[in-house]
Amino acid sequence: MSTAPAAVQAGRTSSRPPAMVVARRAVNRLTLPVLLLLPALTIIAGLVGYPLVRTIYLSFTDTGLGELIYGGSEWVGLENFKEVFADEHLRTSLVNTVVFGTACVVGTMVLGFCVALLLNQKLKGNLLFGIAVLLPWAVPALAASAIWKWLFDARYGFVNWGLVNLGFDGFQDFAWFADRETAYVAIFITVVWQSFPFVALSLLAGLQTIPKETLQAAAVDGANAFQRFRLVTLPLLRPIVAVLVIFSTIWDFKIFDQIYVMAAGVPDRSADTAAVAAYREGFALSHYGLGSAVAVVLFVILLAFALIYVRLVGKEGELA
Amino acid sequence: MRWLLKRGWMYLAMIAVSTFALFPVYWVVITSLKPRSEIYTRTPDLWPSDPQWDQYPRVLGEGHVGRALLNSLIVASGTMVICLLVSAGAAYVLARYRARITRILLILVLMTQMFPLVVLVIPLFVTMRKAGLLGTYWSLIITYLAFSVPLAIWVMRGFVLSIPDELEHAARIDGATRIGAMWRVVLPLAAPGLAVTAVLSFLEGWKEFLLALTFINDEDRKTVPLVLQSFVGRGDTDWGAVMATSVLYTLPVAIVFVLARKHLMTARTAGAVKG
């Protein structure tokens, strides 16, 4: 692509009647962006906007399977929401979501940050290291759940075998999925394993955009490595970190596949997260109204977290 | 000496993380090659004594994994193509037109990522039922667009932002229309961004489980995660089959990732969120 000399540019522009140029530009300005935006926005509004509104509506009704097919559901006000907080299983699932989800976000961010810093060092073997950390990302969540479930298998799993060989005899036939806490340890490792690559690579990209001069200037001013990290790197990465934390929270609080597959054997379903509980109520038990209410509560929780993060980052302008 | 101490730490950390990242993958592959007697043993070996490939033809044939791979491929490719067509233009507009409304739209688009999938499953199920699409590829492709399009818009917008405005201006001064400049200048330069977005949106369709579980009943239309789940779910898990299926399920993505590692590692996925 070539840049024309100034004289030619001027000639071209002035050869058209200014009024027409203005009119054509006005039309261009309005129609083109609208035409380009329309398909995407239609899909998002139709597939996310409309169902969301419908789910919120369902959460105020007593809709079950019959009502869903034949109609005739009744408005029950806040009854479903009262039940979400009164029912022990559903209440526990909300607490599980927040506690376990937060742990996953923290674990992912910490490991992701360390790996990004390592990748940013120009070390030998970095390319291989990069490919190694890329691979878990390629494994679909459901396959990852199956793989880790096998590694944590009570009788034939590698983890128990390894621990016993290291001298922890208590892990002979240890059943990780027999109760909530140990099941969560296994699922936590699975989730972090899968999600740290994305965080690491995104932060690496961020690190590479930090001008070397800035860091050198800080070094000249006498800042040690830790101070340079805290005072220069971290503030510059803040917008990326904030968005990654938001995305991770959204993903980890909604976690489904891993819990559904790995925590299926935990007694009383006490390890269910809100997403799994909502699915069970809605589909397995056909309590669509109640299931929707669980989902709406989860959405409100996520929105609240997102708002807090945006506040912490400061200006929303850094996001959009 | 100081250098060695400093670097030594880093290499140790690199080895530790690589082991954590790779070991499960390695374990799946060798488990899929072990004969039954070596899978179900309390003293697992790090290498199968006599690698056997019979799990693979078994799951591909009677396990319906071959058919499932084809189904997943159709659904994921459909999602990818439509997603790219739909979101490229939107991403361009949201990057180049700076107005209050673009900012509002961007935040709304980001918010759609905040909706837990379960919020949408029930009404989407009803909608698909009414439209008579339940059990078809389209029911999955259409709903996956709801999640891939917002992500694609954000990622591609980041790439468009990284292309200097001046190049487009120059083309327009040369007489190109806005669309011409977009086509001839922005699109070629955004090619790596399109590639990354293609990978991401393909992955959305490739890995999705919950909606597929809800919409698809027909054995012939099942995607890979559904078949995988059926192996795990049976009273007695068929671990050999699970491992072989997991390998077949992951392999295509792993190959693409390794080939595209340059783009993924300089991942402007972050560029997308930097604005």
Side-chain angles (χ1 to χ4, degrees):
Chain A
M1 189 221 39
S2 65
T3 314
V8 180
Q9 296 166 16
R12 273 200 193 155
T13 332
S14 60
S15 68
R16 277 190 195 118
M20 252 187 79
V21 174
V22 171
R24 211 195 61 176
R25 281 202 182 146
V27 171
N28 261 354
R29 231 169 236 162
L30 286 175
T31 49
L32 186 63
V34 171
L35 275 179
L36 289 175
L37 278 173
L38 215 54
L41 293 185
T42 311
I43 285 176
I44 294 171
L47 289 167
V48 188
Y50 166 73
L52 185 85
V53 172
R54 220 187 115 80
T55 302
I56 294 173
Y57 170 78
L58 277 179
S59 69
F60 290 103
T61 68
D62 66 348
T63 306
L65 186 59
E67 289 81 8
L68 200 65
I69 297 172
Y70 304 108
S73 59
E74 268 179 48
W75 185 266
V76 294
L78 291 172
E79 281 308 308
N80 288 326
F81 291 94
K82 277 184 199 156
E83 187 162 352
V84 171
F85 293 102
D87 184 287
E88 206 194 322
H89 172 233
L90 295 180
R91 204 177 48 220
T92 312
S93 77
L94 288 174
V95 177
N96 287 347
T97 302
V98 175
V99 175
F100 181 66
T102 307
C104 289
V105 173
V106 173
T108 307
M109 290 304 296
V110 169
L111 183 61
F113 222 125
C114 295
V115 171
L117 290 172
L118 274 176
L119 280 167
N120 199 38
Q121 308 285 328
K122 302 279 174 283
L123 293 173
K124 268 188 193 143
N126 231 338
L127 185 65
L128 283 178
F129 183 47
I131 291 175
V133 300
L134 210 56
L135 273 184
W137 192 17
V139 181
L142 201 80
S145 310
I147 294 165
W148 281 96
K149 198 175 177 189
W150 170 238
L151 284 165
F152 278 101
D153 190 78
R155 283 170 149 250
Y156 311 114
F158 180 83
V159 173
N160 281 350
W161 178 76
L163 285 169
V164 169
N165 277 348
L166 287 174
F168 300 99
D169 291 332
F171 285 99
Q172 184 79 48
D173 290 348
F174 185 79
W176 290 88
F177 301 104
D179 66 36
R180 182 174 59 176
E181 283 71 27
T182 51
Y184 275 164
V185 171
I187 301 171
F188 170 83
I189 293 173
T190 309
V191 172
V192 171
W193 181 73
Q194 271 219 286
S195 40
F196 85 90
F198 178 77
V199 171
L201 296 174
S202 300
L203 285 172
L204 174 66
L207 285 171
Q208 287 171 347
T209 63
I210 294 177
K212 284 225 167 52
E213 296 75 30
T214 318
L215 287 168
Q216 280 162 358
V220 170
D221 286 346
N224 64 33
F226 178 71
Q227 285 169 327
R228 285 200 300 273
F229 177 73
R230 202 172 61 87
L231 298 170
V232 181
T233 309
L234 218 49
L236 284 170
L237 284 183
R238 205 171 57 158
I240 303 178
V241 172
V243 175
L244 286 173
V245 169
I246 290 182
F247 270 87
S248 301
T249 307
I250 291 169
W251 289 328
D252 292 351
F253 277 41
K254 292 193 303 189
I255 231 157
F256 183 86
D257 301 13
Q258 293 90 333
I259 305 275
Y260 191 78
V261 172
M262 297 179 81
V266 178
D268 302 334
R269 308 223 164 278
S270 63
D272 279 6
T273 52
V276 178
Y279 184 77
R280 263 192 236 293
E281 286 298 336
F283 277 89
L285 306 171
S286 298
H287 299 151
Y288 297 105
L290 187 56
S292 301
V294 177
V296 170
V297 173
L298 176 56
F299 172 57
V300 171
I301 292 174
L302 274 172
L303 205 58
F305 270 80
L307 286 175
I308 293 170
Y309 294 142
V310 171
R311 263 288 150 77
L312 288 180
V313 184
K315 299 167 298 187
E316 54 167 325
E318 288 183 351
L319 292 180
Chain B
M1 189 63 202
R2 238 191 85 155
W3 181 89
L4 191 73
L5 263 173
K6 198 177 156 213
R7 290 291 147 112
W9 261 109
M10 288 179 182
Y11 279 110
L12 266 180
M14 257 166 71
I15 291 166
V17 176
S18 302
T19 310
F20 174 58
L22 289 181
F23 183 77
V25 177
Y26 169 76
W27 200 245
V28 184
V29 175
I30 61 155
T31 304
S32 73
L33 299 178
K34 285 177 176 175
R36 216 186 134 76
S37 62
E38 284 178 33
I39 293 180
Y40 297 96
T41 168
R42 282 152 184 263
T43 51
D45 284 312
L46 285 168
W47 188 251
S49 61
D50 174 27
Q52 299 190 350
W53 294 91
D54 54 342
Q55 293 289 1
Y56 288 91
R58 190 165 75 84
V59 296
L60 282 171
E62 60 178 286
H64 302 292
V65 173
R67 176 77 219 186
L69 280 166
L70 182 67
N71 291 336
S72 282
L73 185 70
I74 293 171
V75 170
S77 320
T79 307
M80 176 183 82
V81 170
I82 301 176
C83 173
L84 282 180
L85 287 176
V86 165
S87 34
Y92 173 80
V93 171
L94 290 174
R96 283 293 186 252
Y97 292 78
R98 300 295 188 120
R100 181 186 292 269
I101 184 140
T102 43
R103 170 165 296 180
I104 295 170
L105 285 176
L106 267 170
I107 290 180
L108 280 178
V109 167
L110 181 68
M111 269 178 67
T112 62
Q113 286 278 303
M114 267 168 222
F115 301 156
L117 185 55
V118 284
V119 172
L120 305 173
V121 170
I122 297 166
L124 283 174
F125 178 80
V126 177
T127 309
M128 287 302 152
R129 217 178 135 269
K130 277 191 186 143
L133 289 174
L134 269 193
T136 65
Y137 294 133
W138 283 111
S139 66
L140 296 181
I141 294 176
I142 292 171
T143 46
Y144 293 167
L145 285 174
F147 314 102
S148 53
V149 167
L151 188 66
I153 288 180
W154 271 79
V155 173
M156 266 197 275
R157 176 177 170 269
F159 279 95
V160 176
L161 282 175
S162 70
I163 299 166
D165 246 346
E166 293 74 35
L167 295 177
E168 241 176 299
H169 284 308
R172 297 196 54 202
I173 289 166
D174 279 354
T177 58
R178 182 130 209 166
I179 248 185
M182 201 181 119
W183 186 255
R184 286 202 300 263
V185 178
V186 181
L187 215 56
L189 286 172
L194 287 173
V196 170
T197 314
V199 171
L200 286 177
S201 56
F202 182 88
L203 219 56
E204 286 285 317
W206 186 254
K207 65 176 193 209
E208 205 284 327
F209 168 60
L210 177 58
L211 285 165
L213 180 68
T214 313
F215 291 176
I216 306 290
N217 263 323
D218 188 356
E219 200 67 45
D220 282 344
R221 289 271 187 286
K222 281 190 174 168
T223 53
V224 188
L226 297 184
V227 174
L228 193 56
Q229 156 69 9
S230 72
F231 291 146
V232 182
R234 284 175 199 162
D236 195 14
T237 299
D238 185 347
W239 285 110
V242 170
M243 294 303 129
T245 309
S246 296
V247 171
L248 291 169
Y249 188 23
T250 304
L251 202 61
V253 187
I255 291 171
V256 172
F257 268 36
V258 171
L259 291 178
R261 66 172 185 279
K262 242 202 205 138
H263 294 313
L264 291 168
M265 278 180 68
T266 53
R268 309 274 170 74
T269 39
V273 295
K274 249 177 32 179

